[in-house]
Short mmCIF file of all heavy atoms in Angstrom, two decimals:
data_model
loop_
_atom_site.label_atom_id
_atom_site.label_comp_id
_atom_site.label_asym_id
_atom_site.label_seq_id
_atom_site.Cartn_x
_atom_site.Cartn_y
_atom_site.Cartn_z
N THR Y 224 150.86 63.63 69.03
CA THR Y 224 150.30 64.30 70.20
C THR Y 224 148.80 64.46 69.94
O THR Y 224 148.34 64.35 68.79
CB THR Y 224 150.95 65.66 70.45
OG1 THR Y 224 150.80 66.47 69.28
CG2 THR Y 224 152.43 65.50 70.77
N GLU Y 225 148.04 64.70 70.99
CA GLU Y 225 146.59 64.73 70.86
C GLU Y 225 146.05 66.05 71.38
O GLU Y 225 146.57 66.62 72.34
CB GLU Y 225 145.95 63.58 71.64
CG GLU Y 225 146.47 62.21 71.25
CD GLU Y 225 146.11 61.17 72.28
OE1 GLU Y 225 145.35 61.49 73.22
OE2 GLU Y 225 146.58 60.03 72.15
N LYS Y 226 144.98 66.50 70.75
CA LYS Y 226 144.24 67.65 71.25
C LYS Y 226 142.78 67.24 71.35
O LYS Y 226 142.15 66.91 70.34
CB LYS Y 226 144.40 68.86 70.34
CG LYS Y 226 143.65 70.09 70.85
CD LYS Y 226 143.84 71.28 69.92
CE LYS Y 226 143.09 72.50 70.44
NZ LYS Y 226 143.23 73.67 69.54
N ALA Y 227 142.24 67.23 72.57
CA ALA Y 227 140.86 66.82 72.79
C ALA Y 227 139.91 67.97 72.52
O ALA Y 227 140.25 69.15 72.71
CB ALA Y 227 140.68 66.31 74.22
N ALA Y 228 138.69 67.62 72.08
CA ALA Y 228 137.66 68.64 71.90
C ALA Y 228 137.29 69.25 73.25
O ALA Y 228 137.32 68.58 74.28
CB ALA Y 228 136.42 68.01 71.26
N THR Y 229 136.98 70.52 73.23
CA THR Y 229 136.65 71.21 74.47
C THR Y 229 135.15 71.19 74.76
O THR Y 229 134.73 71.51 75.86
CB THR Y 229 137.12 72.68 74.40
OG1 THR Y 229 136.54 73.30 73.24
CG2 THR Y 229 138.63 72.75 74.29
N ARG Y 230 134.34 70.77 73.80
CA ARG Y 230 132.89 70.75 74.01
C ARG Y 230 132.50 69.58 74.90
O ARG Y 230 132.86 68.42 74.61
CB ARG Y 230 132.17 70.66 72.67
CG ARG Y 230 130.67 70.99 72.76
CD ARG Y 230 130.09 71.14 71.38
NE ARG Y 230 129.92 69.85 70.72
CZ ARG Y 230 129.68 69.71 69.43
NH1 ARG Y 230 129.66 70.77 68.65
NH2 ARG Y 230 129.51 68.52 68.90
N PRO Y 231 131.78 69.80 75.99
CA PRO Y 231 131.38 68.71 76.89
C PRO Y 231 130.56 67.65 76.15
O PRO Y 231 129.71 67.96 75.31
CB PRO Y 231 130.52 69.42 77.95
CG PRO Y 231 130.98 70.85 77.92
CD PRO Y 231 131.33 71.12 76.48
N GLY Y 232 130.86 66.39 76.45
CA GLY Y 232 130.10 65.29 75.87
C GLY Y 232 130.57 64.86 74.50
O GLY Y 232 130.05 63.88 73.95
N LEU Y 233 131.54 65.55 73.92
CA LEU Y 233 132.05 65.19 72.60
C LEU Y 233 133.35 64.42 72.76
O LEU Y 233 134.33 64.94 73.29
CB LEU Y 233 132.28 66.45 71.76
CG LEU Y 233 132.83 66.24 70.34
CD1 LEU Y 233 131.87 65.40 69.50
CD2 LEU Y 233 133.12 67.57 69.67
N ASP Y 234 133.35 63.18 72.32
CA ASP Y 234 134.54 62.32 72.41
C ASP Y 234 135.30 62.43 71.09
O ASP Y 234 135.07 61.66 70.16
CB ASP Y 234 134.10 60.87 72.69
CG ASP Y 234 135.29 59.95 72.98
OD1 ASP Y 234 136.41 60.46 73.19
OD2 ASP Y 234 135.08 58.72 72.97
N TYR Y 235 136.21 63.40 71.02
CA TYR Y 235 136.86 63.74 69.76
C TYR Y 235 138.28 64.19 70.03
O TYR Y 235 138.54 65.01 70.90
CB TYR Y 235 136.07 64.86 69.07
CG TYR Y 235 136.60 65.31 67.73
CD1 TYR Y 235 136.16 64.72 66.56
CD2 TYR Y 235 137.54 66.34 67.64
CE1 TYR Y 235 136.62 65.15 65.31
CE2 TYR Y 235 138.01 66.78 66.41
CZ TYR Y 235 137.56 66.17 65.26
OH TYR Y 235 138.02 66.58 64.03
N LEU Y 236 139.21 63.62 69.27
CA LEU Y 236 140.62 63.98 69.39
C LEU Y 236 141.18 64.33 68.02
O LEU Y 236 140.83 63.71 67.01
CB LEU Y 236 141.44 62.80 69.95
CG LEU Y 236 141.17 62.32 71.37
CD1 LEU Y 236 141.96 61.03 71.63
CD2 LEU Y 236 141.55 63.39 72.37
N THR Y 237 142.05 65.30 67.99
CA THR Y 237 142.84 65.59 66.79
C THR Y 237 144.24 65.04 67.01
O THR Y 237 144.86 65.28 68.04
CB THR Y 237 142.92 67.10 66.54
OG1 THR Y 237 141.60 67.64 66.44
CG2 THR Y 237 143.66 67.38 65.25
N LEU Y 238 144.73 64.26 66.03
CA LEU Y 238 146.08 63.73 66.07
C LEU Y 238 147.01 64.72 65.38
O LEU Y 238 146.73 65.18 64.27
CB LEU Y 238 146.14 62.37 65.37
CG LEU Y 238 145.21 61.28 65.93
CD1 LEU Y 238 145.35 60.00 65.12
CD2 LEU Y 238 145.49 61.02 67.40
N ARG Y 239 148.13 65.03 66.03
CA ARG Y 239 149.03 66.06 65.54
C ARG Y 239 150.46 65.55 65.43
O ARG Y 239 150.89 64.73 66.24
CB ARG Y 239 148.98 67.29 66.46
CG ARG Y 239 147.63 67.97 66.47
CD ARG Y 239 147.51 69.02 67.56
NE ARG Y 239 146.23 69.73 67.46
CZ ARG Y 239 146.07 70.97 67.00
NH1 ARG Y 239 147.14 71.67 66.62
NH2 ARG Y 239 144.89 71.52 66.92
N LEU Y 240 151.17 66.09 64.45
CA LEU Y 240 152.60 65.87 64.28
C LEU Y 240 153.27 67.23 64.21
O LEU Y 240 152.87 68.07 63.39
CB LEU Y 240 152.89 65.07 63.00
CG LEU Y 240 152.43 63.62 62.99
CD1 LEU Y 240 152.56 63.03 61.58
CD2 LEU Y 240 153.24 62.77 63.98
N ASP Y 241 154.24 67.48 65.08
CA ASP Y 241 154.87 68.80 65.15
C ASP Y 241 153.83 69.90 65.30
O ASP Y 241 153.92 70.97 64.70
CB ASP Y 241 155.75 69.05 63.92
CG ASP Y 241 156.87 68.04 63.81
OD1 ASP Y 241 157.40 67.62 64.85
OD2 ASP Y 241 157.21 67.66 62.67
N ASP Y 242 152.78 69.59 66.09
CA ASP Y 242 151.67 70.50 66.40
C ASP Y 242 150.81 70.85 65.19
O ASP Y 242 150.03 71.79 65.22
CB ASP Y 242 152.18 71.79 67.06
CG ASP Y 242 151.10 72.44 67.93
OD1 ASP Y 242 150.30 71.70 68.54
OD2 ASP Y 242 151.05 73.68 67.99
N VAL Y 243 150.93 70.07 64.12
CA VAL Y 243 150.09 70.25 62.94
C VAL Y 243 149.04 69.14 62.91
O VAL Y 243 149.38 67.96 63.00
CB VAL Y 243 150.92 70.20 61.65
CG1 VAL Y 243 150.02 70.28 60.41
CG2 VAL Y 243 151.95 71.32 61.63
N PRO Y 244 147.75 69.47 62.83
CA PRO Y 244 146.72 68.42 62.78
C PRO Y 244 146.81 67.62 61.50
O PRO Y 244 146.89 68.19 60.40
CB PRO Y 244 145.41 69.21 62.87
CG PRO Y 244 145.74 70.58 62.37
CD PRO Y 244 147.17 70.83 62.76
N VAL Y 245 146.80 66.29 61.62
CA VAL Y 245 146.91 65.44 60.44
C VAL Y 245 145.74 64.47 60.29
O VAL Y 245 145.49 63.95 59.20
CB VAL Y 245 148.24 64.64 60.43
CG1 VAL Y 245 149.43 65.58 60.33
CG2 VAL Y 245 148.36 63.74 61.65
N ALA Y 246 145.01 64.19 61.37
CA ALA Y 246 143.88 63.26 61.33
C ALA Y 246 143.08 63.44 62.61
O ALA Y 246 143.50 64.16 63.53
CB ALA Y 246 144.35 61.82 61.17
N SER Y 247 141.94 62.79 62.69
CA SER Y 247 141.12 62.90 63.89
C SER Y 247 140.53 61.54 64.26
O SER Y 247 140.46 60.62 63.43
CB SER Y 247 140.00 63.93 63.68
OG SER Y 247 139.25 63.66 62.52
N VAL Y 248 140.12 61.43 65.52
CA VAL Y 248 139.49 60.22 66.05
C VAL Y 248 138.20 60.65 66.73
O VAL Y 248 138.20 61.53 67.59
CB VAL Y 248 140.39 59.50 67.07
CG1 VAL Y 248 139.76 58.18 67.50
CG2 VAL Y 248 141.79 59.27 66.50
N ARG Y 249 137.10 60.05 66.33
CA ARG Y 249 135.80 60.38 66.90
C ARG Y 249 135.18 59.14 67.54
O ARG Y 249 134.99 58.12 66.88
CB ARG Y 249 134.87 60.93 65.82
CG ARG Y 249 133.50 61.40 66.36
CD ARG Y 249 132.62 61.88 65.21
NE ARG Y 249 133.20 63.00 64.49
CZ ARG Y 249 133.03 64.27 64.83
NH1 ARG Y 249 132.30 64.58 65.91
NH2 ARG Y 249 133.60 65.23 64.13
N GLY Y 250 134.88 59.24 68.82
CA GLY Y 250 134.19 58.17 69.51
C GLY Y 250 132.69 58.38 69.40
O GLY Y 250 132.17 59.41 69.83
N VAL Y 251 131.99 57.40 68.83
CA VAL Y 251 130.55 57.55 68.59
C VAL Y 251 129.72 56.57 69.40
O VAL Y 251 128.50 56.52 69.26
CB VAL Y 251 130.21 57.42 67.09
CG1 VAL Y 251 130.89 58.55 66.30
CG2 VAL Y 251 130.65 56.07 66.54
N GLY Y 252 130.36 55.78 70.27
CA GLY Y 252 129.63 54.88 71.15
C GLY Y 252 128.75 53.89 70.40
O GLY Y 252 129.18 53.27 69.43
N GLN Y 253 127.51 53.79 70.81
CA GLN Y 253 126.59 52.83 70.21
C GLN Y 253 126.11 53.24 68.82
O GLN Y 253 125.43 52.46 68.15
CB GLN Y 253 125.37 52.64 71.14
CG GLN Y 253 125.71 52.06 72.50
CD GLN Y 253 126.43 50.72 72.40
OE1 GLN Y 253 126.01 49.84 71.64
NE2 GLN Y 253 127.52 50.57 73.14
N GLU Y 254 126.46 54.45 68.39
CA GLU Y 254 126.08 54.88 67.05
C GLU Y 254 127.00 54.30 65.97
O GLU Y 254 126.74 54.49 64.77
CB GLU Y 254 126.09 56.41 66.96
CG GLU Y 254 125.05 57.08 67.85
CD GLU Y 254 125.10 58.59 67.74
OE1 GLU Y 254 125.75 59.10 66.80
OE2 GLU Y 254 124.49 59.26 68.60
N LEU Y 255 128.06 53.61 66.38
CA LEU Y 255 128.95 52.99 65.41
C LEU Y 255 128.17 51.95 64.60
O LEU Y 255 127.53 51.07 65.17
CB LEU Y 255 130.12 52.32 66.13
CG LEU Y 255 131.28 51.84 65.26
CD1 LEU Y 255 132.03 53.03 64.67
CD2 LEU Y 255 132.24 50.99 66.07
N PRO Y 256 128.20 52.03 63.27
CA PRO Y 256 127.43 51.09 62.45
C PRO Y 256 127.83 49.64 62.72
O PRO Y 256 129.01 49.28 62.64
CB PRO Y 256 127.77 51.50 61.01
CG PRO Y 256 128.24 52.91 61.12
CD PRO Y 256 128.92 53.02 62.45
N GLY Y 257 126.86 48.82 63.04
CA GLY Y 257 127.15 47.43 63.35
C GLY Y 257 127.68 46.65 62.17
O GLY Y 257 128.45 45.70 62.33
#
Side-chain angles (χ1 to χ4, degrees):
T224 57
E225 304 164 7
K226 181 179 180 181
T229 56
R230 194 169 75 194
L233 179 61
D234 188 12
Y235 181 91
L236 295 173
T237 304
L238 302 179
R239 295 169 175 255
L240 292 170
D241 299 324
D242 205 34
V243 175
V245 296
S247 53
V248 186
R249 184 182 299 273
V251 297
Q253 297 304 313
E254 295 180 13
L255 191 68

